[in-house]
Every structure is written in structure tokens, then in C-alpha cells.
Amino acid sequence: MKDTEHKNLYKKITYLTVAIIAAVVTVYLASPLFISTEINEPFPPNSAALVSFENFSIMSEDERAKSAENMSASQKNELMIQYANSDSNATNIIDESMNETESLSEPNNSLISGSFIGVNDGIHNAEGTAKVVPLQQVDSNILRLENLKVTNGPDLYVYLSTDKSASDIVNLGKLKANNGNQNYNIPTGTDLSKYDTVLIWCKAFSVLFGSVELKVQ
């Protein structure tokens, strides 16, 4: 009788031990499915994506655009902040008079104009007005930017666009200066009813600084 009881107790202990071991193994194997982990490793020091402001500034436009493809949003913002803060040290000003363009039609007041609305996020901003000034030649106009003030940025361009995303544009050229009064030739035949939005666009990072919706006044 006692031998039977001992055997039954031994079996129970054996079953319990096996069950505990099986439970431990199951939890160990399944734990990656239920336990959340996190790691935040910095970029390796020799990463091509880590580019100093000085080195980025001396790159060509194509090199900057290629380098930007490997950057995170925070890295782009850091470079933009450095460009914006460079205003106090290297403000670029240009003041083009109307007389420096081709002969204007009479009267020289533009009927199509608007005011810049900047992104105004502390990094990207633009202020001033834009107007289309007709020339004496048929279907020939200039885009006149007046009292312009734009935060510094890499590879800023002036576009005529169908929207604020620069999905369909007429490139008027690189921004001549981030401050002042400037003239840009509008290609003959440009449909201003279609390309009715002026953009100050960062080509390197594909970022908008400011826009103007051109309207008949």
C-alpha cells in the first residue's frame, strides 16, 4: 500500500516538474512576441548622412540633393536651422529697379499680384509681395518680388506652380537674394491662369519656404 502511495507521489512530482519546465521553456521561446524592446543607436561617425553645415554649403546642388536623400528629417531640420541662423552673418540683399528690365508697358502697375504667406515654422519663412508686370512685347511678363525677406536656405528657387507642392512648375531660376526687390523673366507663353502660385522652394530638401497666390486685383 505504501509502495503504491510512494509511486503515485513520485509520479505527481515528476508530472509537476515536467509541467514547470515546459512552462518556463514556453515563456522563454514566446517572450519576443510579447515583450516590447527599443533601441536608439546614433549614426556611425563615418556615415555619409552626417554632413556638417560647412561641408554641405560647399557642395554642388546635385551633391546636396543626393546627400539629402540619406538624411533623416531631424538632420535636415538641423541644417535648415543653421542656414536660418546664418541670416545675421551673411544677409544677401539685392535691389533691382524697374529700369533694369526691358521696357514696361503703360501703366506699369501690375493687375496680377499677391502677398507671400510663409511657412513660418521658425525655419522656413518668406515675406513680401509678388506681382506680374507686363512688358511691351506681346505675352511677355516679368515676376516682380518686392520687399522680399526670406530665411536663408540651401538652393532656394523661384517657381510658378499650379499648387504649393511644386508638382507642376515653371522654374524662373535661383533666388537672387534672400532680401530686396527682384525681377524674374517669365517664359513667353506661360499660362498664368494655370501657374498662378509663386513658390520660394528649397530644391535640396524639397521644402516650401513661402508662397503667393496670384490674383487679379
Side-chain angles (χ1 to χ4, degrees), residues 32-158:
L33 301 177
F34 301 101
I35 299 175
S36 176
T37 61
E38 181 177 348
I39 187 171
N40 293 292
E41 291 184 325
F43 272 88
N46 61 347
S47 171
L50 291 179
V51 181
S52 69
F53 173 70
E54 292 76 14
N55 289 338
F56 192 77
S57 298
I58 62 176
M59 290 179 180
S60 67
E61 285 190 17
D62 289 341
E63 289 173 335
R64 279 192 287 268
K66 187 174 182 179
S67 178
E69 292 176 357
N70 299 318
M71 293 182 185
S72 65
S74 61
Q75 289 171 320
K76 292 178 181 179
N77 283 341
E78 179 60 31
L79 282 173
M80 283 291 195
I81 289 170
Q82 293 184 67
Y83 269 99
N85 291 337
S86 68
D87 271 344
S88 58
N89 298 322
T91 298
N92 191 5
I93 301 174
I94 189 170
D95 189 1
E96 291 184 330
S97 68
M98 290 291 198
N99 294 332
E100 292 174 356
T101 67
E102 300 177 60
S103 300
L104 304 177
S105 63
E106 294 296 336
N108 346 344
N109 293 327
S110 173
L111 297 177
I112 304 175
S113 62
S115 298
F116 272 101
I117 298 176
V119 175
N120 201 22
D121 59 359
I123 306 175
H124 320 97
N125 198 28
E127 301 174 9
T129 59
K131 59 178 66 175
V132 175
V133 181
L135 304 179
Q136 289 182 346
Q137 290 82 353
V138 177
D139 198 23
S140 184
N141 305 285
I142 64 167
L143 180 71
R144 171 82 174 170
L145 306 183
E146 294 185 335
N147 302 315
L148 185 68
K149 185 177 181 181
V150 180
T151 49
N152 277 329
D155 306 330
L156 297 183
Y157 276 78
V158 180

Side-chain angles (χ1 to χ4, degrees), residues 116-119 124-126 150 198-201 207-212:
F116 272 101
I117 298 176
V119 175
H124 320 97
N125 198 28
V150 180
V198 180
L199 306 181
I200 304 297
W201 188 265
V207 173
L208 177 68
F209 273 57
S211 63
V212 175

Side-chain angles (χ1 to χ4, degrees), residues 11-22:
K11 287 181 179 180
K12 289 180 180 179
I13 293 174
T14 301
Y15 291 152
L16 180 61
T17 302
V18 171
I20 291 173
I21 293 173

